[in-house]
């Protein structure tokens, strides 16, 4: 390396970063195309059992693992599941929790809000999809001597990684669904995870069924999804988004 390729900050090496940049015209075009492409993503509940190359799923998980995290602790674990028997065990456990939720845990308002999605306690996609990805968060680390070390901004960090994950799935031409049966502790038991891991998100991944249908719903109009706030002569943008 040349001498200007890195510096030391309080004894730690910092390497020079070179970001690819574009003209204003290119930025507008690229940002518009990315928005138009990503806005085609939908949560899908009807999957094909068509196989997907394992390398594709591995690359998707690698992409998710490139997300930023508090103090670069990367407090996540991604479990990739394709074993038929294991998927059935997960489905059985998830549906047991869902039946309890639909029959008593959920409020009438919550159930009413779900009606236009056409969902119930039955989750066949957990077996039909060729892969399940289970995301675990790690509030702390445990070294080989049993010492605990704190992780920071865990929920925020894992949430960012899941955003990267969903975008990478869409980029591969596949579909997914953010499934969150509550509680999800059964996933830790079935997958025999260590004590410092907590289930965060369960995603079936694969091709959509030949006739896959999604609710005819819309995202908030652009004018309603962000606000331009003028404060101290600076423009600040605040966004609101939907997870579906």
């Amino acid at each position: 390396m040349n001498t200007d390729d890195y510096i030391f900050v309080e004894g730690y090496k910092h390497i020079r970063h070179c970001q690819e940049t574009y003209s204003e015209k290119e930025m507008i075009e690229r940002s518009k195309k990315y928005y138009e492409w990503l806005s085609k993503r939908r949560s899908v509940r009807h999957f094909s059992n068509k196989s997907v190359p394992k390398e594709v799923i591995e690359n998707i998980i690698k992409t998710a693992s490139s997300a930023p995290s508090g103090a670069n602790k990367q407090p996540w674990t991604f479990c990739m599941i394709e074993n038929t028997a294991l998927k059935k065990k997960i489905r059985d456990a998830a549906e047991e929790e869902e039946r309890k939720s639909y029959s008593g845990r959920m409020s009438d308002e919550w159930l009413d809000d779900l009606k236009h999605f056409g969902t119930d306690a039955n989750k066949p996609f957990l077996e039909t999809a060729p892969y399940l990805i289970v995301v675990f968060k790690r509030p702390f680390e445990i070294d080989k001597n049993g010492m605990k070390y704190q992780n920071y901004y865990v929920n925020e960090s894992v949430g960012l990684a899941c955003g990267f994950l969903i975008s990478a799935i869409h980029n591969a031409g596949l579909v997914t669904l953010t499934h969150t049966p509550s509680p999800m502790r059964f996933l830790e038991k079935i997958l025999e995870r260590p004590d410092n891991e907590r289930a965060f998100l369960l995603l079936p991944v694969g091709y959509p069924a030949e006739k896959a249908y999604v609710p005819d719903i819309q995202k908030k109009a652009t004018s309603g999804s962000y606000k331009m706030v003028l404060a101290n002569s600076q423009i600040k943008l605040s966004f609101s988004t939907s997870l579906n």
Side-chain angles (χ1 to χ4, degrees), residues 22-32:
Y22 310 98
S23 67
E24 288 189 6
K25 181 180 179 181
E26 287 177 302
M27 283 194 292
I28 293 171
E29 182 179 351
R30 288 173 65 91
S31 61
K32 182 181 179 181

Side-chain angles (χ1 to χ4, degrees), residues 37 41-42 44 47-48 50-52 56-57 60 165-176 205-209:
W37 168 77
R41 183 213 61 81
R42 293 299 302 270
V44 173
F47 285 79
S48 165
K50 180 181 177 182
S51 63
V52 174
V56 173
I57 305 301
I60 286 169
L165 182 76
I166 293 167
S167 178
I169 291 169
H170 183 60
N171 181 63
L174 302 174
V175 295
T176 190
V205 182
Y207 294 100

Side-chain angles (χ1 to χ4, degrees), residues 41-80:
R41 183 213 61 81
R42 293 299 302 270
S43 295
V44 173
R45 292 170 173 82
H46 306 284
F47 285 79
S48 165
N49 61 2
K50 180 181 177 182
S51 63
V52 174
K54 182 180 291 186
E55 185 178 1
V56 173
I57 305 301
E58 290 173 345
N59 287 335
I60 286 169
I61 291 174
K62 288 177 183 177
T63 300
S65 299
S66 71
S69 61
N72 195 37
K73 292 292 186 176
Q74 304 165 63
W76 48 63
T77 297
F78 297 92
C79 292
M80 177 178 67

Side-chain angles (χ1 to χ4, degrees), residues 63-76 152-164:
T63 300
S65 299
S66 71
S69 61
N72 195 37
K73 292 292 186 176
Q74 304 165 63
W76 48 63
Y152 313 103
Y153 298 104
V154 174
N155 288 332
E156 294 86 349
S157 299
V158 180
L160 286 166
C162 288
F164 277 42

